[in-house]
Amino acid sequence: MALTGVEIFKLLPKTNCKKCGFPTCLAFAMKLAQRQASLDACPDVSEEAKKILGEASAPPIRPITFGTGDKAVKMGEETVLFRHEKKFVNPTVFALEIKDTEADDVIEAKINDVVTSEINRVGQLLRVDSICITNESGDAGKFAALAEKVAQKAPDVPVIVATESPEAAEAAIKPFSGKNAILYGVTDANADKMVEIAKANKAIVGAKADGLEALSALTEKIKSTGVEDIVMDSGARKASELLEHNTYIRRAALKKSFKPLGYPVINFVQRDDSMFEALIAGLGVTKYASIVVLSSAEKWKNLALFTLRQNIYTDPQVPMQVEQKIYKIGEPTPDSPLIITTNFSLTYFIVSGEVENAKVPAYLAVMDCEGLSVLTAWAAGKFTGSKIANFIKESGIENEINHRELIIPGYVAILSGAIEEKLEGWKVTVGPREANALPAFLRSRAA
Amino acid sequence: MAFVAPKETFAGKVFPVTIGTENEQTFGGENTLPFHAFEGEVPNRPLIAYEIQDVPPEDWPETVRKVYDAVGDDPVKWAKFCQDELKAKAIALRLIGTHPDNKDLSADDAAKTVSDVLGAVNVPLIILGSNHVEKDSEVLVKVAEVAKGKNCVIGKAQEANYKTIAAAAMANGHKLIAMSELDINLSKQLNILITQMGFEKERLITDPMCSALGYGLEYTYSVMERIRLAALAQNDPVMQPPMMADVGMYVWKIKETQASEETLPEWGGLEERAIMWEAMTASSLMLSGAEFLVMRHPKAVELVERFVDELMG
Ligand code: SF4
């Protein structure tokens, strides 16, 4: 748990020598408590104090990097239970499971699904981040062959090696040695051997137990061998258990500073029905899983899961507004239509999406109305004829287009006259009220 | 260090709301976060109502419209189909045809549709306006009278028209949806205004405004979480009505439920994608606190009911 300024002060030399740059030890302690100073600034602090302060200032959920290179992903480091309090930090990792009992063509297709899963959504590149190979056969040779194939065809993808057999683990982890893979399947029964294999290959330890008490005991046991990087499976598989365990783990780590559960969580959500599996995966995304293991990665399912992850992990502090400017949709020419709306981010998303839908290149003038929607902004006097006229004039759009026609939202048809009065030489056209009528509207004009 | 489950219990509780007469349905009533039966009481499942309209679903995308091809031309047939074939637990009749930009049907037209539908089905009925502030106050007042004594849900009352609609719901023994736009303070304010008229808060349903996955879902999600925490942790009675998510309407107008796989191959099959979108929006909002949902596609409803089974089982 974070220490208070006074608690920190008790650990300092109390000489007020000022070498840290602060007038007193107490002033320095206060800054440390607010995380605005670093302990390194005091040259005289004791080793014991360093150790206590170091442990206390460690993040309650350990940050871990899974994989290496461009495709490495960060996990852990979360600070809150509810996203409105503060941004959720490291987005859930999606892992596709491949079993060593699956047919060769299925294996190849799945590897390909992962490698080609990347899509761009509102400016972010999103993908299935990882592959989880599972030793379903119980045969070490088969498992090693699968590992080789994955290492070859998906060379940079972070990998989870899932088995409870040290022999199979030893055989399959080799191609991922030194690559921050996860060796999952470390239980109370096999921990001694498995931890050695993980250490020898610089792998993260994937601890598996039945229930939270057993899991806490297991992570402590693993930690006592000197291992720091652990991901945890509580054995939860049903939705009700996933919610209960994930919630208790997050709370125990954040609110009780319970170190044995202060690690990222891995959820296995495989189901026979892929759509249903996606909903359980969604539970993992919203409720605190750092890794979700899936049995299939169809494109439609990826899109839904990527979008949910993106939504849940956006920064809630960022106001619901977009920047005031003239956005280009498609590749507009000087003859393309000019449409105006307000800068409420939902309004912007919906209108720009519909204009895109229409496949008619256009200019979208987004006016700063303090993040209000069209009707609200109009009612509040922020979306008025003269303000619109000023915005259009100052935007410089007149130099980019040949025409002088402005399309306004149907809800504010009443503004037509006022705009034309203030914006000399311009013609105002009233567009549809709802954005979903825009494609038909734009297409019929373009025809 | 031994693990002790960090249970949290709350002083506050969500009001249970019961609707209908013959096949009553109850939702809400929990004293804990959504589906947290491991530390509190979750006496009722969320209720999903099937959405139907007073006019044919011409603007619904193909994937969902085709389900209702044989019945969409008649609200009575449509309602019976939902009740008898799809086993709907409740039906939400949206009077979208009354909107001036739609067919501009009159309040009398709407009243007839409502009484016909009420005569044909025995599951609870939710009666929704077209979201046109002035027209709704006219239409909903009339239909509330026609449905008197049927313990329906009437909605939606907004800041600009709550007085007439709340009065009509009160006089005719209905529950009422209070909707505001994605802001916990506006929600609270509207609930206060309505209860100040003498409308019991135990008969209210809060609609903090839905958004679809990818189109602002996170705003609805977080407003719901904040409202629920206000109800439970702060024990604020004005924030204790159950919450509604009007999922179908928001999901079935966006690109992800309409664009074909030919135009956007990287998005995968349209049928699965569209159904997935409705189901995922609904399941996520249930996790943030929605107890009453309005949905369109039977396959999406089935998925979400299964999700609830696993969460409550
Ligand atoms: S340098 Fe250390 S001992 Fe000196 S004033 Fe700062 S905290 Fe105190």
Side-chain angles (χ1 to χ4, degrees):
Chain A
M1 197 181 296
L3 298 176
T4 65
V6 174
E7 283 164 337
I8 296 172
F9 170 68
K10 289 182 184 154
L11 299 164
L12 294 177
K14 304 194 195 78
T15 55
N16 298 336
C17 74
K18 300 189 175 62
K19 282 186 249 171
C20 58
F22 293 92
T24 61
C25 292
L26 183 61
F28 181 59
M30 292 300 173
K31 287 289 168 188
L32 281 176
Q34 296 163 17
R35 307 203 169 186
Q36 288 171 358
S38 160
L39 189 62
D40 306 340
C42 171
D44 302 327
V45 71
S46 71
E47 285 306 314
E48 197 210 336
K50 266 189 201 162
K51 189 165 167 275
I52 297 171
L53 286 168
E55 292 227 329
S57 64
I61 300 174
R62 186 171 171 79
I64 296 177
T65 301
F66 173 31
T68 51
D70 289 350
K71 293 199 168 151
V73 281
K74 286 172 132 189
M75 307 180 296
E77 251 180 318
E78 300 299 334
T79 59
V80 294
L81 280 139
F82 299 101
R83 62 175 295 286
H84 61 84
E85 297 169 328
K86 207 163 179 222
K87 186 179 187 294
F88 282 4
V89 184
N90 289 314
T92 313
V93 170
F94 294 125
L96 177 60
E97 179 182 47
I98 305 180
K99 296 176 184 169
D100 64 359
T101 48
E102 286 174 312
D104 279 350
D105 55 332
V106 175
I107 293 175
E108 306 245 335
K110 280 186 158 182
I111 296 174
N112 191 54
D113 281 347
V114 172
V115 175
T116 61
S117 63
E118 188 165 275
I119 55 166
N120 182 328
R121 195 176 178 282
V122 291
Q124 283 183 352
L125 289 175
L126 310 164
R127 61 174 172 261
V128 176
D129 315 86
S130 159
I131 291 174
C132 173
I133 56 170
T134 301
N135 183 210
E136 187 84 0
S137 69
D139 181 286
K142 264 196 141 171
F143 197 37
L146 173 60
E148 273 306 331
K149 188 175 279 179
V150 168
Q152 211 176 59
K153 307 233 160 165
D156 306 323
V157 173
V159 169
I160 302 166
V161 175
T163 179
E164 290 182 30
S165 147
E167 188 202 350
E170 182 86 62
I173 195 96
K174 282 277 145 6
F176 314 111
S177 189
K179 291 189 166 175
N180 281 343
I182 294 173
L183 178 58
Y184 165 82
V186 180
T187 64
D188 188 52
N190 67 16
D192 296 340
K193 285 186 183 164
M194 292 288 270
V195 166
E196 281 317 307
I197 298 168
K199 278 186 179 167
N201 294 282
K202 297 206 161 35
I204 298 157
V205 169
K208 179 191 180 188
D210 188 9
L212 297 177
E213 263 171 66
L215 184 62
S216 309
L218 179 58
T219 61
E220 287 211 290
K221 177 172 174 175
I222 295 168
K223 188 172 183 233
S224 71
T225 68
V227 170
E228 301 275 6
D229 289 344
I230 303 173
V231 298
M232 308 185 296
D233 170 20
S234 68
R237 294 295 180 271
K238 260 179 66 177
S240 52
E241 287 169 349
L242 289 166
L243 179 64
E244 175 181 347
H245 290 189
N246 288 6
T247 302
Y248 277 159
I249 288 172
R250 175 72 66 96
R251 261 193 215 153
L254 295 185
K255 294 186 148 181
K256 307 282 176 203
S257 298
F258 186 66
K259 293 283 178 190
L261 294 180
Y263 302 97
V265 169
I266 182 168
N267 284 164
F268 292 84
V269 302
Q270 300 96 319
R271 296 290 188 281
D272 289 338
D273 178 341
S274 180
M275 295 184 113
F276 187 58
E277 175 177 303
L279 297 189
I280 307 291
L283 169 66
V285 171
T286 51
K287 292 293 164 187
Y288 318 136
S290 287
I291 305 177
V292 163
V293 181
L294 303 156
S295 68
S296 67
E298 298 89 342
K299 292 199 177 321
W300 49 265
K301 181 178 173 187
N302 292 348
L303 186 71
L305 283 173
F306 295 169
T307 305
L308 180 66
R309 174 175 68 179
Q310 196 175 35
N311 282 175
I312 295 297
Y313 280 83
T314 52
D315 189 345
Q317 318 285 348
V318 172
M320 293 160 54
Q321 307 183 7
V322 292
E323 188 194 342
Q324 157 164 312
K325 70 174 191 185
I326 312 265
Y327 291 82
K328 290 180 178 172
I329 304 197
E331 283 166 27
T333 67
D335 295 312
S336 297
L338 172 66
I339 307 161
I340 189 163
T341 192
T342 66
N343 74 330
F344 178 41
S345 57
L346 287 186
T347 303
Y348 167 76
F349 284 139
I350 291 166
V351 173
S352 61
E354 294 294 355
V355 176
E356 237 174 73
N357 257 350
K359 303 219 161 37
V360 176
Y363 294 96
L364 181 60
V366 173
M367 183 169 143
D368 182 3
C369 298
E370 293 165 30
L372 298 177
S373 65
V374 168
L375 267 184
T376 329
W378 170 72
K382 299 188 193 303
F383 199 55
T384 64
S386 53
K387 287 185 177 161
I388 292 172
N390 277 340
F391 166 50
I392 293 295
K393 271 186 216 148
E394 284 165 14
S395 72
I397 186 71
E398 286 177 315
N399 304 324
E400 285 187 48
I401 53 175
N402 293 332
H403 63 83
R404 292 288 178 265
E405 182 192 14
L406 179 65
I407 300 169
I408 64 170
Y411 279 116
V412 290
I414 194 165
L415 290 177
S416 306
I419 300 172
E420 283 181 355
E421 202 173 286
K422 306 272 183 202
L423 209 52
E424 225 164 289
W426 280 73
K427 170 175 172 266
V428 170
T429 298
V430 177
R433 284 178 160 224
E434 295 290 346
N436 61 9
L438 270 170
F441 174 81
L442 290 172
R443 276 188 221 126
S444 70
R445 288 167 43 97
Chain B
M1 244 186 278
F3 171 76
V4 182
K7 281 190 202 294
E8 282 180 11
T9 53
F10 300 102
K13 179 178 161 199
V14 178
F15 300 127
V17 169
T18 300
I19 63 172
T21 47
E22 284 171 61
N23 296 293
E24 285 182 348
Q25 291 286 340
T26 303
F27 49 91
E30 64 274 21
N31 63 359
T32 185
L33 290 164
F35 305 104
H36 279 219
F38 50 86
E39 58 184 355
E41 277 161 37
V42 185
N44 300 299
R45 292 170 71 92
L47 175 66
I48 303 175
Y50 272 92
E51 177 173 352
I52 68 169
Q53 296 188 159
D54 57 344
V55 293
E58 278 155 12
D59 59 341
W60 291 18
E62 170 68 18
T63 306
V64 64
R65 193 182 56 223
K66 70 184 179 202
V67 177
Y68 304 107
D69 260 352
V71 296
D73 60 332
D74 173 5
V76 170
K77 268 198 289 179
W78 194 350
K80 284 177 85 86
F81 175 76
C82 290
Q83 174 182 280
D84 300 336
E85 304 299 320
L86 304 178
K87 308 292 173 220
K89 294 173 181 166
I91 290 170
L93 168 61
R94 195 182 305 276
L95 299 164
I96 195 73
T98 62
H99 196 290
D101 285 352
N102 198 295
K103 295 219 160 51
D104 203 12
L105 298 175
S106 69
D108 287 336
D109 296 331
K112 176 162 191 322
T113 305
V114 167
S115 90
D116 289 351
V117 170
L118 277 170
V121 295
N122 54 26
V123 294
L125 188 68
I126 295 91
I127 308 168
L128 302 168
S130 66
N131 235 1
H132 185 278
V133 169
E134 295 93 43
K135 192 67 182 274
D136 273 3
S137 38
E138 195 186 316
V139 168
L140 292 177
V141 167
K142 185 96 195 181
V143 301
E145 281 166 24
V146 171
K148 186 177 178 86
K150 291 281 187 177
N151 195 16
C152 295
V153 178
I154 303 282
K156 302 166 180 177
Q158 307 179 48
E159 197 191 338
N161 63 10
Y162 72 91
K163 280 189 184 147
T164 47
I165 299 174
M170 191 156 51
N172 298 288
H174 300 301
K175 307 298 190 300
L176 179 71
I177 301 164
M179 187 190 80
S180 47
E181 292 190 5
L182 289 176
D183 182 314
I184 183 172
N185 298 316
L186 292 179
S187 256
K188 179 167 176 161
Q189 174 67 14
L190 182 58
N191 286 2
I192 290 174
L193 289 172
I194 291 174
T195 48
Q196 278 172 351
M197 292 174 58
F199 196 95
E200 293 168 274
K201 54 190 182 308
E202 293 83 357
R203 302 176 69 85
L204 269 179
I205 297 161
T206 301
D207 179 0
M209 201 164 108
C210 188
S211 345
L213 177 61
Y215 294 81
L217 177 84
E218 68 274 29
Y219 299 130
T220 301
Y221 185 92
S222 282
V223 171
M224 283 189 170
E225 284 197 328
R226 292 182 61 195
I227 290 178
R228 186 47 41 85
L229 287 168
L232 299 175
Q234 293 157 34
N235 198 4
D236 179 350
V238 190
M239 298 271 78
Q240 287 171 343
M243 288 186 283
M244 170 190 193
D246 202 351
V247 174
M249 178 173 94
Y250 285 87
V251 164
W252 293 100
K253 66 178 185 187
I254 60 169
K255 197 153 105 185
E256 280 78 355
T257 57
Q258 303 183 40
S260 71
E261 190 172 4
E262 289 73 52
T263 27
L264 286 162
E266 68 274 25
W267 280 11
L270 169 61
E271 177 96 9
E272 291 96 337
R273 187 202 320 137
I275 293 168
M276 190 78 261
W277 225 262
E278 185 172 35
M280 187 79 92
T281 301
S283 63
S284 305
L285 292 177
M286 278 183 174
L287 289 169
S288 65
E291 287 102 345
F292 169 57
L293 298 92
V294 174
M295 296 177 66
R296 291 182 179 174
H297 202 291
K299 175 78 182 141
V301 173
E302 185 195 312
L303 284 164
V304 176
E305 291 284 10
R306 227 176 118 190
F307 184 66
V308 175
D309 287 342
E310 239 200 78
L311 274 168
M312 312 248 321

PDB file of all heavy atoms in Angstrom, chain A residues 12-25 28 41-45, ligand 1:
ATOM      1  N   LEU A  12      13.514   8.319   6.659  1.00  0.00           N
ATOM      2  CA  LEU A  12      14.590   9.163   6.110  1.00  0.00           C
ATOM      3  C   LEU A  12      15.603   9.507   7.218  1.00  0.00           C
ATOM      4  O   LEU A  12      15.313   9.351   8.407  1.00  0.00           O
ATOM      5  CB  LEU A  12      13.986  10.445   5.517  1.00  0.00           C
ATOM      6  CG  LEU A  12      13.097  10.244   4.283  1.00  0.00           C
ATOM      7  CD1 LEU A  12      12.485  11.568   3.832  1.00  0.00           C
ATOM      8  CD2 LEU A  12      13.879   9.601   3.140  1.00  0.00           C
ATOM      9  N   PRO A  13      16.805  10.018   6.844  1.00  0.00           N
ATOM     10  CA  PRO A  13      17.850  10.289   7.845  1.00  0.00           C
ATOM     11  C   PRO A  13      17.497  11.407   8.838  1.00  0.00           C
ATOM     12  O   PRO A  13      18.111  11.502   9.895  1.00  0.00           O
ATOM     13  CB  PRO A  13      19.047  10.715   6.979  1.00  0.00           C
ATOM     14  CG  PRO A  13      18.772  10.152   5.623  1.00  0.00           C
ATOM     15  CD  PRO A  13      17.289  10.154   5.474  1.00  0.00           C
ATOM     16  N   LYS A  14      16.544  12.255   8.529  1.00  0.00           N
ATOM     17  CA  LYS A  14      16.096  13.367   9.396  1.00  0.00           C
ATOM     18  C   LYS A  14      17.224  14.339   9.749  1.00  0.00           C
ATOM     19  O   LYS A  14      17.301  14.847  10.870  1.00  0.00           O
ATOM     20  CB  LYS A  14      15.478  12.817  10.694  1.00  0.00           C
ATOM     21  CG  LYS A  14      14.322  11.849  10.462  1.00  0.00           C
ATOM     22  CD  LYS A  14      13.556  11.631  11.775  1.00  0.00           C
ATOM     23  CE  LYS A  14      12.652  10.429  11.721  1.00  0.00           C
ATOM     24  NZ  LYS A  14      13.388   9.133  11.888  1.00  0.00           N
ATOM     25  N   THR A  15      18.117  14.590   8.819  1.00  0.00           N
ATOM     26  CA  THR A  15      19.198  15.544   9.087  1.00  0.00           C
ATOM     27  C   THR A  15      18.930  16.899   8.439  1.00  0.00           C
ATOM     28  O   THR A  15      19.658  17.856   8.682  1.00  0.00           O
ATOM     29  CB  THR A  15      20.522  15.012   8.521  1.00  0.00           C
ATOM     30  OG1 THR A  15      20.323  14.730   7.126  1.00  0.00           O
ATOM     31  CG2 THR A  15      20.979  13.766   9.235  1.00  0.00           C
ATOM     32  N   ASN A  16      17.923  16.952   7.600  1.00  0.00           N
ATOM     33  CA  ASN A  16      17.597  18.179   6.875  1.00  0.00           C
ATOM     34  C   ASN A  16      18.824  18.791   6.192  1.00  0.00           C
ATOM     35  O   ASN A  16      19.062  19.995   6.250  1.00  0.00           O
ATOM     36  CB  ASN A  16      16.955  19.215   7.808  1.00  0.00           C
ATOM     37  CG  ASN A  16      15.659  18.692   8.384  1.00  0.00           C
ATOM     38  OD1 ASN A  16      15.016  17.811   7.806  1.00  0.00           O
ATOM     39  ND2 ASN A  16      15.268  19.228   9.526  1.00  0.00           N
ATOM     40  N   CYS A  17      19.637  17.962   5.544  1.00  0.00           N
ATOM     41  CA  CYS A  17      20.891  18.425   4.945  1.00  0.00           C
ATOM     42  C   CYS A  17      20.678  19.113   3.591  1.00  0.00           C
ATOM     43  O   CYS A  17      21.601  19.677   3.035  1.00  0.00           O
ATOM     44  CB  CYS A  17      21.865  17.268   4.790  1.00  0.00           C
ATOM     45  SG  CYS A  17      21.396  16.172   3.429  1.00  0.00           S
ATOM     46  N   LYS A  18      19.466  19.019   3.033  1.00  0.00           N
ATOM     47  CA  LYS A  18      19.079  19.724   1.800  1.00  0.00           C
ATOM     48  C   LYS A  18      19.716  19.172   0.519  1.00  0.00           C
ATOM     49  O   LYS A  18      19.553  19.750  -0.552  1.00  0.00           O
ATOM     50  CB  LYS A  18      19.393  21.227   1.888  1.00  0.00           C
ATOM     51  CG  LYS A  18      18.688  21.951   3.012  1.00  0.00           C
ATOM     52  CD  LYS A  18      18.916  23.459   2.855  1.00  0.00           C
ATOM     53  CE  LYS A  18      18.150  24.285   3.878  1.00  0.00           C
ATOM     54  NZ  LYS A  18      18.524  24.023   5.287  1.00  0.00           N
ATOM     55  N   LYS A  19      20.472  18.077   0.605  1.00  0.00           N
ATOM     56  CA  LYS A  19      21.131  17.573  -0.601  1.00  0.00           C
ATOM     57  C   LYS A  19      20.126  17.100  -1.665  1.00  0.00           C
ATOM     58  O   LYS A  19      20.424  17.046  -2.841  1.00  0.00           O
ATOM     59  CB  LYS A  19      22.097  16.426  -0.247  1.00  0.00           C
ATOM     60  CG  LYS A  19      23.408  16.934   0.337  1.00  0.00           C
ATOM     61  CD  LYS A  19      24.394  15.793   0.537  1.00  0.00           C
ATOM     62  CE  LYS A  19      24.609  15.535   2.039  1.00  0.00           C
ATOM     63  NZ  LYS A  19      25.372  14.341   2.348  1.00  0.00           N
ATOM     64  N   CYS A  20      18.925  16.767  -1.218  1.00  0.00           N
ATOM     65  CA  CYS A  20      17.904  16.292  -2.152  1.00  0.00           C
ATOM     66  C   CYS A  20      17.267  17.447  -2.926  1.00  0.00           C
ATOM     67  O   CYS A  20      16.492  17.235  -3.850  1.00  0.00           O
ATOM     68  CB  CYS A  20      16.818  15.536  -1.408  1.00  0.00           C
ATOM     69  SG  CYS A  20      16.034  16.551  -0.137  1.00  0.00           S
ATOM     70  N   GLY A  21      17.603  18.686  -2.505  1.00  0.00           N
ATOM     71  CA  GLY A  21      16.995  19.823  -3.186  1.00  0.00           C
ATOM     72  C   GLY A  21      15.769  20.354  -2.459  1.00  0.00           C
ATOM     73  O   GLY A  21      15.165  21.336  -2.886  1.00  0.00           O
ATOM     74  N   PHE A  22      15.405  19.718  -1.363  1.00  0.00           N
ATOM     75  CA  PHE A  22      14.275  20.209  -0.574  1.00  0.00           C
ATOM     76  C   PHE A  22      14.788  20.720   0.757  1.00  0.00           C
ATOM     77  O   PHE A  22      15.818  20.257   1.245  1.00  0.00           O
ATOM     78  CB  PHE A  22      13.245  19.085  -0.366  1.00  0.00           C
ATOM     79  CG  PHE A  22      12.570  18.685  -1.658  1.00  0.00           C
ATOM     80  CD1 PHE A  22      13.078  17.650  -2.429  1.00  0.00           C
ATOM     81  CD2 PHE A  22      11.450  19.383  -2.119  1.00  0.00           C
ATOM     82  CE1 PHE A  22      12.489  17.297  -3.636  1.00  0.00           C
ATOM     83  CE2 PHE A  22      10.854  19.033  -3.322  1.00  0.00           C
ATOM     84  CZ  PHE A  22      11.374  17.989  -4.086  1.00  0.00           C
ATOM     85  N   PRO A  23      14.078  21.690   1.344  1.00  0.00           N
ATOM     86  CA  PRO A  23      14.585  22.315   2.573  1.00  0.00           C
ATOM     87  C   PRO A  23      14.657  21.340   3.751  1.00  0.00           C
ATOM     88  O   PRO A  23      15.533  21.467   4.594  1.00  0.00           O
ATOM     89  CB  PRO A  23      13.588  23.442   2.862  1.00  0.00           C
ATOM     90  CG  PRO A  23      12.374  23.138   2.041  1.00  0.00           C
ATOM     91  CD  PRO A  23      12.847  22.342   0.872  1.00  0.00           C
ATOM     92  N   THR A  24      13.735  20.377   3.810  1.00  0.00           N
ATOM     93  CA  THR A  24      13.733  19.461   4.954  1.00  0.00           C
ATOM     94  C   THR A  24      13.454  18.041   4.469  1.00  0.00           C
ATOM     95  O   THR A  24      12.925  17.836   3.374  1.00  0.00           O
ATOM     96  CB  THR A  24      12.615  19.813   5.954  1.00  0.00           C
ATOM     97  OG1 THR A  24      11.363  19.687   5.269  1.00  0.00           O
ATOM     98  CG2 THR A  24      12.765  21.232   6.498  1.00  0.00           C
ATOM     99  N   CYS A  25      13.770  17.087   5.334  1.00  0.00           N
ATOM    100  CA  CYS A  25      13.444  15.701   5.025  1.00  0.00           C
ATOM    101  C   CYS A  25      11.927  15.544   4.888  1.00  0.00           C
ATOM    102  O   CYS A  25      11.444  14.780   4.050  1.00  0.00           O
ATOM    103  CB  CYS A  25      13.945  14.771   6.131  1.00  0.00           C
ATOM    104  SG  CYS A  25      15.733  14.657   6.225  1.00  0.00           S
ATOM    105  N   PHE A  28      10.683  16.637   1.531  1.00  0.00           N
ATOM    106  CA  PHE A  28      11.047  15.620   0.546  1.00  0.00           C
ATOM    107  C   PHE A  28      10.092  14.416   0.654  1.00  0.00           C
ATOM    108  O   PHE A  28       9.610  13.886  -0.358  1.00  0.00           O
ATOM    109  CB  PHE A  28      12.502  15.200   0.792  1.00  0.00           C
ATOM    110  CG  PHE A  28      13.031  14.175  -0.166  1.00  0.00           C
ATOM    111  CD1 PHE A  28      13.059  14.425  -1.538  1.00  0.00           C
ATOM    112  CD2 PHE A  28      13.535  12.958   0.296  1.00  0.00           C
ATOM    113  CE1 PHE A  28      13.567  13.478  -2.418  1.00  0.00           C
ATOM    114  CE2 PHE A  28      14.031  12.011  -0.582  1.00  0.00           C
ATOM    115  CZ  PHE A  28      14.054  12.273  -1.948  1.00  0.00           C
ATOM    116  N   ALA A  41      17.252  10.863  -5.012  1.00  0.00           N
ATOM    117  CA  ALA A  41      17.765  12.209  -4.778  1.00  0.00           C
ATOM    118  C   ALA A  41      18.411  12.356  -3.400  1.00  0.00           C
ATOM    119  O   ALA A  41      19.189  13.279  -3.168  1.00  0.00           O
ATOM    120  CB  ALA A  41      16.640  13.240  -4.951  1.00  0.00           C
ATOM    121  N   CYS A  42      18.074  11.463  -2.474  1.00  0.00           N
ATOM    122  CA  CYS A  42      18.693  11.522  -1.144  1.00  0.00           C
ATOM    123  C   CYS A  42      19.864  10.549  -1.092  1.00  0.00           C
ATOM    124  O   CYS A  42      19.682   9.339  -1.156  1.00  0.00           O
ATOM    125  CB  CYS A  42      17.682  11.173  -0.053  1.00  0.00           C
ATOM    126  SG  CYS A  42      18.442  10.970   1.573  1.00  0.00           S
ATOM    127  N   PRO A  43      21.107  11.074  -0.954  1.00  0.00           N
ATOM    128  CA  PRO A  43      22.279  10.193  -0.997  1.00  0.00           C
ATOM    129  C   PRO A  43      22.470   9.391   0.293  1.00  0.00           C
ATOM    130  O   PRO A  43      23.213   8.420   0.310  1.00  0.00           O
ATOM    131  CB  PRO A  43      23.441  11.165  -1.214  1.00  0.00           C
ATOM    132  CG  PRO A  43      22.950  12.482  -0.708  1.00  0.00           C
ATOM    133  CD  PRO A  43      21.465  12.493  -0.858  1.00  0.00           C
ATOM    134  N   ASP A  44      21.811   9.795   1.363  1.00  0.00           N
ATOM    135  CA  ASP A  44      22.123   9.211   2.666  1.00  0.00           C
ATOM    136  C   ASP A  44      21.104   8.187   3.166  1.00  0.00           C
ATOM    137  O   ASP A  44      21.200   7.720   4.293  1.00  0.00           O
ATOM    138  CB  ASP A  44      22.247  10.337   3.712  1.00  0.00           C
ATOM    139  CG  ASP A  44      23.317  11.329   3.303  1.00  0.00           C
ATOM    140  OD1 ASP A  44      24.307  10.879   2.674  1.00  0.00           O
ATOM    141  OD2 ASP A  44      23.149  12.530   3.561  1.00  0.00           O
ATOM    142  N   VAL A  45      20.127   7.877   2.344  1.00  0.00           N
ATOM    143  CA  VAL A  45      19.064   6.991   2.806  1.00  0.00           C
ATOM    144  C   VAL A  45      19.598   5.564   3.018  1.00  0.00           C
ATOM    145  O   VAL A  45      20.481   5.114   2.284  1.00  0.00           O
ATOM    146  CB  VAL A  45      17.872   7.027   1.821  1.00  0.00           C
ATOM    147  CG1 VAL A  45      18.229   6.332   0.527  1.00  0.00           C
ATOM    148  CG2 VAL A  45      16.626   6.432   2.429  1.00  0.00           C
TER     149      VAL A  45
HETATM  150  S1  SF4 C   1      18.924  14.658   1.244  1.00  0.00           S
HETATM  151 FE1  SF4 C   1      18.000  13.107   2.508  1.00  0.00          FE
HETATM  152  S2  SF4 C   1      18.745  13.631   4.531  1.00  0.00           S
HETATM  153 FE2  SF4 C   1      19.123  15.406   3.310  1.00  0.00          FE
HETATM  154  S3  SF4 C   1      17.300  16.694   3.569  1.00  0.00           S
HETATM  155 FE3  SF4 C   1      16.941  15.451   1.771  1.00  0.00          FE
HETATM  156  S4  SF4 C   1      15.898  13.706   2.590  1.00  0.00           S
HETATM  157 FE4  SF4 C   1      16.794  14.672   4.323  1.00  0.00          FE
END
